[in-house]
Amino acid sequence: MSKKKSVLVATVGTRDVAFCDAFGAWLNVGNAYISRNNNLSEQVQVQTELGLENADFRLITEYLLENWQEYQERLQPIIMGKMLADYAKEIKQIYLIGTDQQETVEQRSRDTKYSAGIISNWISKHYQIPTKIILQGKNGENPADFEQMFRWWKEIWQENIAPNIKDNYKVLLCIKGGIGAMSEAARVSALSRFGENTLFFDFVEDKECNRLGNPSPYTPPNKGTNYLWDRQQQEALILLNRYDYEGVNRILRPYYRHTDHPEINTKLVLQLQSALAAAIAWNQGNFAQFANLSCQSRNLTQQWWWNGYEAAYLGLIRYYQDNNVEALFHSFRAVEGIMSDWAFFSFPDDIILVQNAYSLGTSPVIKRSIIQHQGLQKYLNQFRDQLQIPLYGRALDILLQTAKPEYKHCRDMQKFWDVVKDNRNQIFHRLLGLDKGDLFSAWDTSSLKEWQSRVLGCLNFISGQNYNSLSEASLMSKVHQELYNSISSYQP
């Protein structure tokens, strides 16, 4: 017995039912087309067989349904028959969507209300699957109006179908032909409601096969996750442009599991997953995890100064996201953080971590043994009353000035401690908003270009590097471009 569980939703068209004539030929009850080789359409031939020459399609199917006991062996769903046979063991409920339009509607003669009834009886006879008929048109819905149809389908999913669908059920959709707007609304609303649990079936017309009483073949089901890929792809790229890597991952996640060409897509999927996991870690400021997950240069991530540039670039991204408070935070943190990393790198034997009295964590302090380094006696004299010197703030700045005398010629560093530090403290100790102008002013600059230049100037001075921009220094900018290229080229 199949472990899969599904619900089938199928629209019933005028060509869904076939009737076997007295000579054993199966005629399509709703086929009003006259071929070159025959003077009568199949529908007319059925009319003649039944003695209903003046009856339209609706009346013919109504007659056959009323006389089901007499004609049941001569009727079958000629389009869905094979699909029903193949999936019968997993289908727990069937919904047939037929039409029953108002009397003033011209197309009422082609309604499928009774065709749906015939198919329902046939399913009950052969498979005993619970089947419910849902009729459209009674309230004057226009099947050519997409907005009306979307609202209609949304209501049908909500009130009639969704309550009977469990989380592990697949929704099998046979939306055949008919009015384009109605079919499209069915597909889009189903995807909105059931997402990746939706499967679409398309059928291949085979008149010769049908004439022999064999139902139409169908193509492999199209996964719901793939149907709206173009739209989802554009949405993913929009979110990527906003640096919302979690949002991008949420959109792409269903497509990782549904690849029709694994030999082509597996490598790209793995690259996407890895790059997104790295980007999410980076966006959270977890640069160590980012380095482990990223496929970018390992040599660069091992440099002591690398974190500072990534933190500064994160500040720039927050600026682009209009989050100016965090832009200030990350840009300030980048400079002060790289100063601390410089101290650890330059004086590894003279800096230790001690228990922080105000938290459960530890804080770095400078031991007095640092006096052994040339030129640092003057530094210690400023802290002669302290056995251990905290490695932050003024003490850190004075250590950098003492160890790197060229500091006095670096205007960016001088501005950082003389102006930026005080501005940062004032802003962060008050619950105020921050616009872009305030951000620039906090760094004693007046534009995005000047702000980036000042941050970069500080980082380059401390690290001894010579980067021309924050994006050039950041590995995340390269991962971001890699993501853009992968998402743009990916096809489920």
Side-chain angles (χ1 to χ4, degrees):
M1 180 177 293
S2 173
K3 295 182 180 180
K4 297 179 180 179
K5 296 181 180 180
S6 305
V7 168
L8 171 64
V9 180
T11 56
V12 178
T14 56
R15 297 195 181 191
D16 272 271
V17 175
F19 173 82
C20 185
D21 68 10
F23 302 99
W26 287 85
L27 306 174
N28 194 297
V29 178
N31 186 359
Y33 175 75
I34 301 175
S35 67
R36 293 181 180 179
N37 301 325
N38 201 322
N39 293 326
L40 301 175
S41 69
E42 293 184 37
Q43 178 175 315
V44 170
Q45 293 177 61
V46 173
Q47 288 174 324
T48 302
E49 177 92 11
L50 297 174
L52 300 171
E53 285 81 358
N54 296 321
D56 56 30
F57 173 78
R58 180 183 172 115
L59 290 174
I60 295 171
T61 51
E62 182 180 10
Y63 173 81
L64 289 172
L65 181 60
E66 289 176 349
N67 294 278
W68 167 257
Q69 293 300 325
E70 179 181 352
Y71 293 108
Q72 59 182 297
E73 300 300 333
R74 301 171 66 181
L75 294 167
Q76 68 162 307
I78 202 63
I79 294 181
M80 290 191 299
K82 179 171 174 53
M83 182 266 173
L84 285 168
D86 292 345
Y87 284 82
K89 290 183 179 180
E90 72 174 71
I91 297 175
K92 303 303 177 184
Q93 175 74 48
I94 295 176
Y95 296 92
L96 299 175
I97 312 298
T99 57
D100 183 22
Q101 301 174 90
Q102 296 176 347
E103 293 185 4
T104 55
V105 178
E106 182 180 352
Q107 294 299 320
R108 188 171 189 270
S109 63
R110 305 289 289 172
D111 276 344
T112 57
K113 172 183 178 179
Y114 302 108
S115 294
I118 292 170
I119 295 175
S120 178
N121 284 357
W122 187 91
I123 292 171
S124 178
K125 174 182 171 65
H126 291 273
Y127 299 114
Q128 297 79 51
I129 302 174
T131 302
K132 180 179 180 179
I133 298 172
I134 299 175
L135 297 175
Q136 183 185 91
K138 294 180 294 183
N139 297 319
E141 302 95 350
N142 180 5
D145 188 320
F146 177 83
E147 293 299 329
Q148 279 191 33
M149 288 299 95
F150 187 86
R151 289 192 294 271
W152 186 87
W153 275 106
K154 186 176 180 180
E155 182 178 332
I156 293 301
W157 298 129
Q158 177 69 29
E159 298 183 5
N160 298 79
I161 300 176
N164 298 316
I165 296 179
K166 298 181 181 179
D167 291 340
N168 62 333
Y169 278 27
K170 293 292 183 183
V171 180
L172 313 181
L173 259 68
C174 298
I175 309 296
K176 306 176 301 300
I179 305 299
M182 187 269 193
S183 301
E184 185 70 7
R187 293 183 175 93
V188 173
S189 59
L191 286 170
S192 299
R193 181 77 195 197
F194 307 109
E196 64 186 85
N197 290 325
T198 314
L199 294 176
F200 298 101
F201 288 82
D202 288 321
F203 297 84
V204 181
E205 185 177 22
D206 190 332
K207 293 181 180 179
E208 292 184 6
C209 179
N210 293 163
R211 197 67 178 254
L212 295 174
N214 299 318
S216 296
Y218 59 92
T219 61
N222 179 34
K223 299 177 179 63
T225 47
N226 298 343
Y227 184 78
L228 290 179
W229 168 244
D230 287 345
R231 299 181 190 180
Q232 296 289 71
Q233 182 185 47
Q234 291 304 310
E235 181 63 22
L237 291 173
I238 289 172
L239 291 174
L240 185 68
N241 193 48
R242 298 173 186 161
Y243 308 95
D244 183 356
Y245 302 114
E246 274 284 7
V248 174
N249 192 50
R250 187 169 55 253
I251 286 181
L252 296 183
R253 191 179 296 121
Y255 296 91
Y256 300 150
R257 299 192 296 272
H258 296 289
T259 53
D260 294 329
H261 305 287
E263 70 283 0
I264 298 175
N265 285 334
T266 298
K267 183 178 180 180
L268 182 54
V269 166
L270 291 175
Q271 288 175 346
L272 269 173
Q273 289 178 297
S274 178
L276 276 172
I280 291 169
W282 181 89
N283 217 13
Q284 296 169 346
N286 192 339
F287 301 134
Q289 185 178 1
F290 166 75
N292 290 333
L293 294 170
S294 174
C295 297
Q296 298 295 328
S297 172
R298 299 295 184 197
N299 292 332
L300 187 57
T301 60
Q302 293 171 1
Q303 299 297 325
W304 65 264
W305 40 261
W306 170 71
N307 278 347
Y309 287 96
E310 291 299 339
Y313 187 64
L314 180 57
L316 179 61
I317 295 308
R318 293 294 183 264
Y319 167 85
Y320 289 140
Q321 294 174 323
D322 292 322
N323 193 336
N324 299 307
V325 172
E326 284 202 24
L328 176 60
F329 169 77
H330 287 293
S331 57
F332 185 90
R333 180 172 179 252
V335 177
E336 192 169 39
I338 201 174
M339 288 176 65
S340 180
D341 289 343
W342 163 82
F344 272 99
F345 176 77
S346 302
F347 309 103
D349 298 327
D350 305 297
I351 297 175
I352 59 173
L353 295 174
V354 298
Q355 191 68 31
N356 191 323
Y358 303 104
S359 71
L360 298 178
T362 58
S363 298
V365 297
I366 305 170
K367 300 191 298 183
R368 299 194 71 80
S369 61
I370 201 170
I371 194 175
Q372 64 185 314
H373 297 279
Q374 185 176 2
L376 293 185
Q377 175 66 52
K378 179 181 177 182
Y379 172 74
L380 278 181
N381 288 340
Q382 300 184 57
F383 302 94
R384 61 172 58 92
D385 297 330
Q386 297 176 240
L387 293 177
Q388 294 177 330
I389 307 167
L391 189 66
Y392 64 86
R394 176 173 171 268
L396 180 58
D397 180 44
I398 294 174
L399 176 62
L400 181 65
Q401 291 188 49
T402 306
K404 294 171 72 79
E406 61 271 31
Y407 182 106
K408 61 185 177 182
H409 302 299
C410 182
R411 187 169 183 269
D412 291 323
M413 285 304 306
Q414 292 174 9
K415 285 289 185 181
F416 180 78
W417 283 110
D418 293 343
V419 179
V420 181
K421 178 174 63 67
D422 290 338
N423 288 341
R424 178 260 187 194
N425 291 338
Q426 292 180 28
I427 292 171
F428 273 47
H429 291 150
R430 301 180 66 191
L431 297 177
L432 299 174
L434 204 66
D435 62 27
K436 287 178 169 50
D438 296 329
L439 171 64
F440 300 151
S441 296
W443 278 84
D444 198 22
T445 58
S446 59
S447 67
L448 174 61
K449 182 178 180 180
E450 286 185 11
W451 173 57
Q452 287 190 77
S453 178
R454 174 139 298 161
V455 175
L456 191 63
C458 293
L459 298 178
N460 281 343
F461 172 77
I462 300 166
S463 68
Q465 303 304 303
N466 192 32
Y467 287 108
N468 295 311
S469 69
L470 294 178
S471 61
E472 177 192 348
S474 169
L475 288 183
M476 186 59 228
S477 65
K478 300 171 181 61
V479 172
H480 187 91
Q481 185 60 45
E482 175 188 320
L483 281 169
Y484 179 85
N485 294 338
S486 297
I487 295 170
S488 298
S489 62
Y490 181 69
Q491 288 296 328

